[in-house]
Amino acid sequence: MGERALDGIAQARRGRTPRLSVEMIVDAALDALSEQSGDPLSLGAIARTLGVTPMALYTYFNSRDDLIQAVAERLMSDFPAGDEAQLPQVRIHDWAFRMRRHLLRRPQLLGMLSWEGGHSSSAWLERSVEVMRALEELGYTGSELARMTLRIWHRVMSAINVEIASKGKSGQIASDDLEKLTPDTRERVLRLHQVSGREDFYEDLMEFEVSSMIDTIRRQN
């Protein structure tokens, strides 16, 4: 947490009302996210960290949605830019792997890309619209442009989500569960686990997903 956020907590403990800032509140929100293990962002948890009431946060943010947008912007602020000089297909491939690396470092972002009420992270959209621009250069327009953009977004983000959800799990099926399978099914499942148990499995999976989509784009063009 930043020094100003820590100073605010110290003031609260001494009985003084802490002077807040947008930066302090975002710092506290990031701390709360790391402690909540995937739970939605809680204004109460943020306020408790800062030693204030939840209503005090509304002096700096018009709504919880504005606060989530600010937190997502902070988490996306160092997302690396792509190389506009590259071919469109290469830029799409590069975006997918940059997004994977970024979200693996900041998995709390996954729960902040969209939330109740139809809200979406402006920060994520600003850094993902490059896929749409690349497709436009390839001649996509109208509904075909929208469909292909959404297809790429959904498949890339789904693959990242599966990878993050698998962290800390062995990826191996328990021996007693294997025994419950028929010999034919067991043999096939074991073959799958030989592949999914490799260290580079998820990187290979992303490569497969992105390459398949780019092959489709090439055939359509």
Side-chain angles (χ1 to χ4, degrees), residues 112-129:
M112 307 185 71
L113 300 184
S114 61
W115 60 96
E116 65 273 10
H119 297 282
S120 298
S121 166
S122 300
W124 185 87
L125 290 169
E126 289 288 353
R127 290 153 179 88
S128 299
V129 76

Side-chain angles (χ1 to χ4, degrees), residues 47-102:
R48 285 192 298 275
T49 298
L50 293 169
V52 300
T53 66
M55 287 302 298
L57 304 180
Y58 288 103
T59 303
Y60 302 87
F61 296 95
N62 292 327
S63 66
R64 177 175 175 270
D65 299 321
D66 286 347
L67 174 53
I68 294 175
Q69 293 283 11
V71 174
E73 176 61 48
R74 170 79 71 82
L75 290 169
M76 289 294 300
S77 61
D78 59 345
F79 181 73
D83 182 357
E84 292 295 320
Q86 292 178 325
L87 293 173
Q89 296 97 324
V90 176
R91 297 208 308 271
I92 292 170
H93 182 281
D94 182 56
W95 170 84
F97 279 88
R98 278 185 286 123
M99 187 62 69
R100 173 179 176 264
R101 288 191 296 269
H102 193 78

Side-chain angles (χ1 to χ4, degrees), residues 165-204:
S166 74
K167 293 295 182 183
K169 299 177 182 177
S170 68
Q172 299 298 320
I173 188 168
S175 58
D176 54 338
D177 290 331
L178 276 173
E179 291 303 317
K180 297 172 185 175
L181 302 174
T182 63
D184 180 71
T185 302
R186 186 184 309 127
E187 189 270 335
R188 284 171 167 75
V189 168
L190 286 172
R191 268 189 280 162
L192 291 175
H193 279 279
Q194 286 176 349
V195 174
S196 64
R198 297 200 320 256
E199 286 188 10
D200 62 349
F201 168 69
Y202 287 104
E203 185 172 355
D204 280 354

Side-chain angles (χ1 to χ4, degrees), residues 9-46:
I9 296 171
Q11 289 182 38
R13 287 172 178 166
R14 291 194 297 267
R16 287 188 287 153
T17 301
R19 287 181 297 177
L20 300 181
S21 68
V22 168
E23 182 183 16
M24 284 171 58
I25 295 169
V26 172
D27 282 344
L30 291 171
D31 278 359
L33 280 173
S34 66
E35 294 171 1
Q36 289 171 199
S37 302
D39 293 336
L41 189 61
S42 165
L43 294 185
I46 298 169

